[in-house]
Amino acid sequence: MTHGNQADLATVEWPSVDLAKPAEEGGPNARAGFNYQDEIAVGFFLEMLELPSLLKIHCETHDDIVLVRQGDTPAGCIAEFVQVKASEQDKLWSVADLCQRKKSKAGTSIFEGSLGRDKHNEIARFRLVTLRPVVTALEPLTLPLTAAARDVTSEEMVALNSELTSRFPDFTSPKGNVSLYWLRNCLWDQRHSEKSVQDDNLVRLVRHALKTGANILFEQAEILLQDLRLWAKTAGDAKWDKDPAKKIITRDQLLSWWESRIQDLIDGLSMAAGGKLADKMDDAQLPDELVGLALDLRRSYAAESRAPRYLDPGDVERLQRRVQSEVMSLRARYVAGQIDVEGSAFHALCLDRMDEVNSERSAGEEDRSAFLKGCMYDIADRCLLRFARPGQ
């Protein structure tokens, strides 16, 4: 169902979402605190690994996220425009929330902004990702697009369409589509929390690895997820005018990354002890003497952890968990851009943190600095820690 001068619209050559410059770049210019949105993007990266029909993912172009899918009709590809709502009031989403304009300015409601994305060559679909659930009136939108309850003749959908058309009687997309088109093609995607999305991504990544024949540990999966979060953040931060290709991740790129990183983990397990550690330190441009000292500390740690002379087994496990937690936190801050230094400085920061942990021991306890640093280097040797700047 459309509205407006269809003869004129039929002659318009609509640009592809992959080529058209975004109307604005508010997202890339103000992305502080967008961790939740990046985590949602990571979930779509995993979907693209799983489904050949998901061809490309845009980060901060024509919407928060744009999913370009292979068309399920001869009409062509589908562009799914995804809005991620992380800052929400502690209440259910309502029709009024969907229609509320900013300072009563036309075109600024969530509904208008979403339908207004329908201006490209691709068939437009829409998704709203929210932490909070919706009121009963909006529940049909949470069902799959093919669900019987979403039939536009159902009482609920008729009522929704009536509400939208009464609030926006003259509003159409640039391609002439009206509220009923949006209702047919919008999925309301309810999530619970950033933590729940992270947990789901972790399980999905491990499951996909097993499906493709790679038996990886959860700690290795966490490292891969960090890489994907960095990729989403980098794409979101990039500017279209300078390098539009950085903002669009293709399935071929993602598959190539996956194969390379999985092979890296497998090689790390098969390589002689210390081999991957030396590579990680070389990547960070650390001098040979530091590499040699690190290898000695890792060897001493390996001997002590197998047959501890100064620590009981419980203390060994506790310290190992502490080191892993500390380096994970440091690396996560590095990936997020909260630490902005070269690889050699990040390596020094990691060593300083091990010294700080060592200083927390009780009076009279054995110095554990060598054990802590050896543990850190062992983590790097297992491909679970990199010292090089993210992206290098």
Side-chain angles (χ1 to χ4, degrees), residues 35 38 226 229-230 233 237 330-339 390:
N35 291 344
D38 291 341
Q226 278 195 35
R229 290 172 191 133
L230 173 62
K233 180 182 184 302
D237 286 340
L330 286 170
R331 184 65 188 180
R333 289 175 56 204
Y334 201 20
V335 166
Q338 298 173 8
I339 299 173

Side-chain angles (χ1 to χ4, degrees), residues 137 140 148-162:
R150 293 199 57 144
D151 190 288
V152 293
T153 63
S154 69
E155 182 179 346
E156 295 81 4
M157 292 291 277
V158 168
L160 267 176
N161 187 49
S162 176

Side-chain angles (χ1 to χ4, degrees), residues 241-305:
D241 284 338
K242 293 182 178 180
D243 196 349
K246 283 188 176 180
K247 302 194 69 61
I248 304 175
I249 295 90
T250 68
R251 188 166 191 268
D252 285 345
Q253 287 176 311
L254 190 64
L255 289 174
S256 177
W257 168 85
W258 175 262
E259 292 170 2
S260 174
R261 291 294 283 120
I262 289 296
Q263 191 61 49
D264 188 40
L265 293 175
I266 293 172
D267 290 346
L269 292 175
S270 61
M271 184 177 285
K276 276 294 180 180
L277 171 59
D279 288 346
K280 295 292 182 291
M281 298 188 75
D282 286 342
D283 290 343
Q285 298 182 338
L286 294 165
D288 290 344
E289 64 268 23
L290 281 182
V291 176
L293 288 169
L295 291 171
D296 280 344
L297 282 171
R298 198 211 66 81
R299 281 192 289 268
S300 297
Y301 158 79
E304 178 66 16
S305 61

